[in-house]
Amino acid sequence: MRLDKLLSSLGEGTRSEVRALIRAGRVRVREETARDAGMQVDAERDSVTLDGRELGYKSVRHVMLNKPGGVLTAARDARQRTVMDLLPPLYAAMGAMPAGRLDKDTEGLLVITSDGQLAHRIISPRHDVGKEYFARVDGPLGEADVRAFEEGLHISDADGEFDARSAVLTILRASQTESEARVRVTEGKYHQVKRMFAARGVRVTYLKRLSIGALRLDPALAPGQWREMTQEEAALLEQDAPPEEDEQEDKHA
């Protein structure tokens, strides 16, 4: 890969900006000062530094973000802050995107990945990747609600009409004025969890996603914090949403 293309893909600036860095002698390749922006480098093996800072290249990156409330799940927005604004420019430069979405006021686990096929599989109904949420609602919950979620709810409201699949509702605390529960769903219709509770006569006042498949949110991440996923965590997503046959053929083509 050309050196200037590598630096640009790592989010260190535009092509013209990184060429200026190279001309200024601020970039070193294999411990030698680089002068040629077009020099070929092995992105996976060669040591590349900028102002003494090692630049690690990965062809694919997966990020675990604890999405805070008040932030849009989108790549960009002209007026409001998005989840991509919480990450360094490197990730947008690599084409990383959220795998699915969370409502603006919903917190919790969000996967951001540069692997577009994996992102598609995570949200595809064909893979039935379960998502678990913690919910707080403004009224009572009971065994009748547990059975209704298990049997599948018919949703008909201002946002449309659909039959929600069977879901697992686990009540953690219940009173006449406020209840807390975990709910696990295998699909992601618009405002689905909120609409399912609304169909049972209660309103969600707080919602947080805890897991996607076997991948659980790192409890050490505060809202707004993120980290790159480990190989083991990425493997959990691949396990829950394996490549389909046409993808496997592409990989071996």
Side-chain angles (χ1 to χ4, degrees), residues 65-67 73 99-102 106-111 122-123 130-134 206-212 215-217:
L65 169 70
N66 186 353
K67 178 193 170 298
T73 304
R101 66 184 302 276
L102 290 175
T106 300
E107 298 182 2
L109 176 61
L110 186 68
V111 171
I122 290 172
I123 63 177
K131 285 90 173 176
E132 185 177 49
Y133 296 81
F134 168 83
Y206 175 77
L207 190 63
K208 178 178 182 177
R209 183 154 66 192
L210 305 176
S211 67
I212 299 174
L215 177 69
R216 300 197 67 81
L217 177 65

Side-chain angles (χ1 to χ4, degrees), residues 58-63 84 91-92 94-100 111-123 229 234-235 237-239 241-244 247 251:
K58 295 180 183 178
S59 58
V60 176
R61 290 177 184 260
H62 309 294
V63 166
M84 296 306 297
Y91 297 95
M94 292 187 67
M97 297 284 285
V111 171
I112 298 175
T113 177
S114 60
D115 185 339
Q117 291 183 334
L118 175 61
H120 172 73
R121 298 197 304 269
I122 290 172
I123 63 177
M229 291 165 51
L237 291 178
E238 291 284 358
Q239 171 185 302
E244 297 170 8
E247 289 183 49
K251 289 184 177 180

Side-chain angles (χ1 to χ4, degrees), residues 30-43:
R30 297 183 292 273
E31 301 186 0
E32 297 289 338
T33 301
R35 299 296 182 186
D36 179 9
M39 73 177 294
Q40 294 293 311
V41 294
D42 185 331

Side-chain angles (χ1 to χ4, degrees), residues 178-244:
E178 183 178 84
S179 301
E180 295 178 345
R182 291 195 305 271
V183 58
R184 188 173 183 84
V185 299
T186 57
E187 55 186 344
K189 302 289 187 182
Y190 180 69
H191 288 173
Q192 177 164 342
V193 174
K194 295 176 182 177
R195 294 166 72 186
M196 291 173 72
F197 279 110
R200 297 299 300 169
V202 292
R203 180 176 63 89
V204 172
T205 58
Y206 175 77
L207 190 63
K208 178 178 182 177
R209 183 154 66 192
L210 305 176
S211 67
I212 299 174
L215 177 69
R216 300 197 67 81
L217 177 65
D218 184 343
L221 293 178
Q225 291 186 332
W226 63 275
R227 64 168 173 79
E228 289 211 2
M229 291 165 51
T230 65
Q231 290 183 344
E232 292 76 15
E233 289 169 333
L236 291 177
L237 291 178
E238 291 284 358
Q239 171 185 302
D240 286 325
E244 297 170 8

